[in-house]
Amino acid sequence: MKKYLFLLLFIFLMANSSYCQTITFFETNKAFKTGESLNYTVKYSLYLDIDVAGFILKVEEQELKGKKLYGLTAYGETYNYSDNFLKVKIGYQSIVNKNNFLPVLYIRSLTRNEKESKKTVILNRSRKVAINKETKLELPIKSTSQDIISTLYLIRTFNFKNSNPGDTYWINTFFAGKTWDLGIKYIGKETINTKLGKISCYKLQPVLSDKLIDELNFFSLSDDDKLFKSDEQINIWLTDDENKIPVRIKSITNLGSLIIDINKCSGLKNTPVWE
């Protein structure tokens, strides 16, 4: 059970990244601003719904070499029910250029049962490499490559108003020492009940390559009992207003369902649809 609890936090980010038609480029950001904060509860459901973790997404301002940049931060922590549960704290930060929305620095910190690890990646756009500051290893990237956090926020800048069911938006993302062409497929509009109220949403579905599904199935018990057999097991709901807030992510695995629901939000750039 311990390694599945780690997956609960990790999949929140992967569900918002995604597998090529045409790579989508950043145009303009009308969805969020510095000061935005989104709070979530992570639930695991088999026979009962159990709250297993909390998650926070924040947009801050960072300064690097005299330039003002976005500091996109994600922090998650499992609830400590008993000593049999793995206590996990995981944090991600992506420092992103406001003009072209390309990350320049990516930091991941992870604490598992008081054992800490940290990874810092510098993105050198002129050389098209991502450099691990700790190991000095270099990963080839594309000129438009995103990290996991910047991918989530980039998706929020897309215009879904004229999308048709089946339309897919593509992003190149680096993850697990590799780059992936990842896709977000538009399913349609759907109204759902949340703690914020009844909200009209864009329903999306990640398009994951077989190789990426294999990466996620690292957490599986065996080859015969894989957690994920297709990318259709993950669904995402974004508010259909200008904010395009992720209010729910649901992932159905062979060991039950993972549901990530929004609890509260503040510092929104636009008036939300439910007010």
Side-chain angles (χ1 to χ4, degrees):
M1 173 60 74
K2 290 183 177 181
K3 61 183 180 180
Y4 298 115
L5 292 178
F6 173 69
L7 178 61
L8 298 181
L9 292 181
F10 173 77
I11 199 173
F12 177 86
L13 302 173
M14 283 309 304
N16 287 282
S17 311
S18 329
Y19 170 51
C20 220
Q21 242 170 355
T22 303
I23 300 297
T24 306
F25 297 96
F26 172 72
E27 293 181 356
T28 185
N29 171 30
K30 298 179 181 179
F32 53 86
K33 65 179 181 179
T34 300
E36 182 190 81
S37 180
L38 309 175
N39 291 62
Y40 298 86
T41 297
V42 183
K43 295 182 179 182
Y44 179 74
S45 177
L46 185 55
Y47 301 107
L48 296 172
D49 288 345
I50 303 173
D51 293 350
V52 294
F55 214 92
I56 300 174
L57 296 174
K58 289 185 176 181
V59 181
E60 301 169 317
E61 187 167 87
Q62 297 287 335
E63 189 167 318
L64 187 64
K65 296 181 179 180
K67 292 183 178 181
K68 292 184 178 181
L69 310 168
Y70 285 126
L72 308 177
T73 302
Y75 176 79
E77 182 174 354
T78 55
Y79 300 142
N80 195 12
Y81 289 106
S82 73
D83 293 337
N84 293 324
F85 279 71
L86 173 63
K87 184 66 175 177
V88 175
K89 298 178 182 178
I90 188 167
Y92 292 89
Q93 186 174 45
S94 178
I95 309 301
V96 177
N97 186 309
K98 290 185 177 182
N99 295 323
N100 57 19
F101 214 80
L102 293 175
V104 298
L105 187 68
Y106 172 74
I107 302 168
R108 187 205 72 180
S109 60
L110 175 65
T111 303
R112 284 184 280 188
N113 284 349
E114 308 306 323
K115 293 182 179 180
E116 297 183 11
S117 63
K118 186 176 180 180
K119 178 181 180 180
T120 304
V121 177
I122 301 167
L123 289 95
N124 188 317
R125 295 292 170 178
S126 60
R127 293 181 53 215
K128 294 184 181 180
V129 291
I131 306 165
N132 187 312
K133 185 178 179 181
E134 287 74 29
T135 66
K136 309 302 181 185
L137 292 176
E138 297 186 359
L139 166 70
I141 60 174
K142 295 183 178 181
S143 59
T144 57
S145 292
Q146 300 285 329
D147 58 51
I148 295 176
I149 299 297
S150 64
T151 297
L152 164 60
Y153 282 91
L154 179 61
I155 290 168
R156 292 179 59 190
T157 70
F158 295 169
N159 184 359
F160 296 106
K161 287 183 179 179
N162 297 318
S163 296
N164 296 311
D167 287 353
T168 304
Y169 300 78
W170 299 94
I171 307 169
N172 183 266
T173 303
F174 68 85
F175 156 71
K178 301 174 185 177
T179 58
W180 310 84
D181 284 334
L182 309 170
I184 287 290
K185 182 166 64 174
Y186 179 79
I187 303 300
K189 293 182 71 172
E190 186 174 307
T191 299
I192 63 173
N193 291 311
T194 75
K195 287 188 176 180
L196 302 181
K198 198 171 184 179
I199 303 178
S200 177
C201 296
Y202 297 120
K203 185 177 180 180
L204 310 172
Q205 202 170 79
V207 182
L208 308 179
S209 68
D210 291 340
K211 288 184 178 180
L212 187 49
I213 291 175
D214 287 342
E215 291 281 352
L216 292 176
N217 279 327
F218 167 79
F219 297 92
S220 300
L221 290 171
S222 68
D223 289 340
D224 295 327
D225 190 24
K226 292 183 177 181
L227 282 172
F228 297 97
K229 295 183 179 179
S230 77
D231 46 24
E232 295 181 357
Q233 293 174 253
I234 303 172
N235 288 286
I236 308 161
W237 288 264
L238 303 183
T239 58
D240 72 354
D241 58 3
E242 291 293 334
N243 298 299
K244 290 187 277 291
I245 300 169
V247 291
R248 177 170 297 159
I249 297 170
K250 186 173 182 179
S251 174
I252 301 172
T253 76
N254 291 343
L255 293 175
S257 297
L258 168 68
I259 304 169
I260 303 170
D261 270 333
I262 196 163
N263 285 327
K264 58 183 178 179
C265 58
S266 61
L268 301 184
K269 186 170 185 175
N270 309 283
T271 302
V273 294
W274 59 89
E275 289 187 355

